[in-house]
Amino acid sequence: MTNSYILFSVLCLMTGRCWSGADATQLSDVELLLDDLFKNYSTEVRPNQNQSEVTNVSLYPFLFSVNEFDEVSGVISIVGGFSLMWHDFRLAWTPSNYGNVTTLPVPKKKIWVPDIFLINPANKMEAIGSESFLGRISYTGDVNWTPGGLIQTLCDVNMYIFPFDTQTCSFTFALWGYSVFEAVLMPFENMSSIDTTYYSPNTQWKMDKTVMKYSDLLDTKNLVELQLILKRKSLYFVINMLAPILLLSLLNPIVFVLPVDSGERVSYAITIFLSFAVFMTLISENMPKSSEPMSVLSYFLILTMTMSTLICILTVVTMRLHFKDSDLKVSKKAKILLWILQLKFLCSACRKAKKGSEIRDISLDAGFVQSIKENKDAQNVDTEDDVTWKKIAKSYDTTFLFYFFFIVFLQWISLLITIAA
């Protein structure tokens, strides 16, 4: 069965523009041919002279469109068709005896047709095609039946790098009711992809690749698996979801720049937190409930909301420090904590090491050393007297601002690395 004949038959069955032989073919020739072919024909017997031989059924798939892909429920719907081909020795004739008729369309119910089932359907399991689809027979005994329609199957969704994800959905077909010793389903001429000549692009998904192969479910080659590899068109989600989240994460630490006396700090921090909660709801609506692994964007939002919660707490703390009585002496614990957060102990270690080397190199008299020590003590006393709760609160604000901006940029880099990997 040649490739040109297959393409011709598919085109005929899809468009209805076929010819069966010479222009001189008469109605009586066709009627006589039908009477002779189906006089003693049985649709319940496999088309093999030797019934111990295996009937080879070739599958030629073609895809029209991806109708819908619901990631939440994990169901994909496509519109496509299949050209099933096999040889039936009972349907061979000599064209010259019947007005040079070479091909003939016949109803499905008049010929032996194998039942093809989708074994991973989204709803009920039923045979592909109906009685409405005509078959076409050739004078050589080759039979071609081309059913089509809406096909739904379950698809395992991986949303880890949403919205830059690529999904692989599989359709597994089998000959139902026949053992591997009776009938075998196989790809036509070992083809490894689906015919997408008549494919209409989808608005949300780009067809990256199609694969046709034997299924790994069984050791025997009797299940044919069709794979659609779809890449999400991510521009919509980048503009309407990802970009606002990243921009909001930049606004989060700005709360420490707002003047404390404005009275807007707490409301600002809570507003940012609620904005992240809204985006978390939007993302969860586009995610399957059992997605494994979870989207990296969900992890990003959880970390950002945790950081936003911490910012709200620290905002209240710094405001409390700011409005403390100015007559109260600044506690030593507040100074030490600030000293640790600003990493000044690292600078102190560096300065001590530098001063130690200078002292070893320079010989100073006792009076000069004593004067330096007295000046340093006096300077420390003056500095301690100048420290107030407002200054401590302002220093905490500046420190937290740098810390949280560093965390934000670290989150950005981690997100980009994970998506690009």
Side-chain angles (χ1 to χ4, degrees):
M1 190 177 295
T2 62
N3 195 15
S4 59
Y5 170 71
I6 297 303
L7 295 178
F8 165 74
S9 300
V10 172
L11 183 62
C12 286
L13 292 171
M14 289 172 55
T15 63
R17 299 177 181 178
C18 306
W19 59 92
S20 60
D23 295 336
T25 301
Q26 301 296 320
L27 175 62
S28 58
D29 296 328
V30 177
E31 290 178 341
L32 178 61
L33 176 59
L34 289 175
D35 289 340
D36 292 343
L37 288 178
F38 298 104
K39 184 179 297 182
N40 297 313
Y41 188 90
S42 174
T43 60
E44 299 176 359
V45 181
R46 290 188 298 113
N48 290 83
Q49 182 69 45
N50 185 357
Q51 288 293 298
S52 62
E53 295 179 351
V54 177
T55 303
N56 295 322
V57 180
S58 298
L59 179 67
Y60 185 97
F62 45 89
L63 181 65
F64 293 139
S65 65
V66 176
N67 191 41
E68 185 181 4
F69 187 10
D70 189 349
E71 307 98 285
V72 179
S73 61
V75 175
I76 182 172
S77 304
I78 64 170
V79 179
F82 309 91
S83 185
L84 299 175
M85 294 149 283
W86 63 92
H87 183 78
D88 193 336
F89 74 97
R90 299 169 295 180
L91 300 178
W93 72 89
T94 302
S96 59
N97 296 337
Y98 301 95
N100 292 324
V101 176
T102 56
T103 64
L104 193 66
V106 292
K108 175 190 175 184
K109 63 182 180 180
K110 293 182 70 68
I111 57 177
W112 177 88
V113 175
D115 289 329
I116 306 297
F117 280 79
L118 177 68
I119 64 173
N120 56 339
N123 38 50
K124 61 181 180 179
M125 188 173 178
E126 58 184 5
I128 303 297
S130 65
E131 300 290 339
S132 303
F133 295 97
L134 293 175
R136 179 164 288 272
I137 57 178
S138 171
Y139 73 94
T140 59
D142 293 329
V143 184
N144 186 356
W145 183 59
T146 308
L150 181 68
I151 304 173
Q152 293 182 324
T153 188
L154 298 176
C155 182
D156 292 330
V157 181
N158 188 337
M159 304 290 285
Y160 184 63
I161 57 173
F162 172 85
F164 304 99
D165 53 315
T166 299
Q167 305 297 336
T168 301
C169 297
S170 300
F171 298 77
T172 304
F173 297 93
L175 281 177
W176 203 260
Y178 296 97
S179 70
V180 293
F181 304 105
E182 295 175 333
V184 173
L185 185 66
M186 60 180 62
F188 172 72
E189 292 186 351
N190 296 320
M191 64 186 301
S192 59
S193 61
I194 304 173
D195 188 353
T196 56
T197 305
Y198 307 100
Y199 176 72
S200 299
N202 188 272
T203 56
Q204 298 181 14
W205 297 91
K206 176 185 176 182
M207 182 65 66
D208 196 28
K209 186 180 178 183
T210 63
V211 176
M212 183 179 183
K213 64 175 186 176
Y214 287 109
S215 176
D216 298 329
L217 296 177
L218 294 177
D219 295 334
T220 57
K221 295 182 178 181
N222 197 30
L223 300 180
V224 175
E225 181 178 338
L226 306 180
Q227 291 183 351
L228 303 183
I229 301 175
L230 304 172
K231 186 175 180 61
R232 188 189 301 273
K233 296 179 180 179
S234 57
L235 183 60
Y236 171 83
F237 294 97
V238 169
I239 294 177
N240 294 280
M241 190 175 295
L242 184 60
I245 290 174
L246 295 179
L247 294 176
L248 274 174
S249 65
L250 274 180
L251 294 179
N252 219 355
I254 302 296
V255 65
F256 296 109
V257 180
L258 284 177
V260 179
D261 297 328
S262 65
E264 299 294 334
R265 276 196 168 193
V266 176
S267 60
Y268 176 89
I270 294 178
T271 301
I272 298 295
F273 175 82
L274 293 177
S275 300
F276 284 120
V278 170
F279 279 103
M280 191 69 180
T281 304
L282 293 177
I283 290 179
S284 63
E285 291 177 354
N286 291 276
M287 297 289 175
K289 300 299 183 290
S290 59
S291 177
E292 293 182 3
M294 290 289 292
S295 170
V296 67
L297 193 57
S298 298
Y299 291 119
F300 179 85
L301 267 179
I302 289 294
L303 291 176
T304 306
M305 291 180 68
T306 303
M307 184 180 70
S308 185
T309 302
L310 185 58
I311 286 177
C312 292
I313 296 173
L314 294 177
T315 299
V316 174
V317 172
T318 54
M319 289 181 64
R320 179 176 176 81
L321 296 179
H322 179 84
F323 288 108
K324 272 197 172 184
D325 191 350
S326 57
D327 295 333
L328 293 177
K329 185 179 179 180
V330 177
S331 66
K332 190 175 181 180
K333 292 181 180 179
K335 293 180 182 178
I336 293 175
L337 182 58
L338 180 62
W339 182 71
I340 294 174
L341 289 175
Q342 293 179 342
L343 305 179
K344 287 187 176 180
F345 60 91
L346 298 177
C347 299
S348 300
C350 295
R351 284 197 298 267
K352 287 181 179 179
K354 185 176 180 181
K355 289 180 180 179
S357 62
E358 291 177 353
I359 291 174
R360 286 193 297 269
D361 296 338
I362 302 174
S363 178
L364 300 174
D365 59 81
F368 185 67
V369 172
Q370 183 66 25
S371 62
I372 291 178
K373 186 176 180 181
E374 291 175 356
N375 291 333
K376 184 177 180 181
D377 294 339
Q379 185 178 1
N380 290 338
V381 171
D382 294 339
T383 304
E384 290 180 359
D385 292 339
D386 292 339
V387 173
T388 61
W389 281 112
K390 287 188 177 181
K391 289 183 178 181
I392 287 290
K394 186 176 181 180
S395 298
Y396 271 110
D397 286 337
T398 305
T399 304
F400 291 148
L401 178 68
F402 284 107
Y403 265 102
F404 283 108
F405 264 123
F406 174 76
I407 295 174
V408 167
F409 287 118
L410 189 62
Q411 285 180 316
W412 281 24
I413 294 172
S414 301
L415 179 64
L416 292 176
I417 291 176
T418 304
I419 291 176

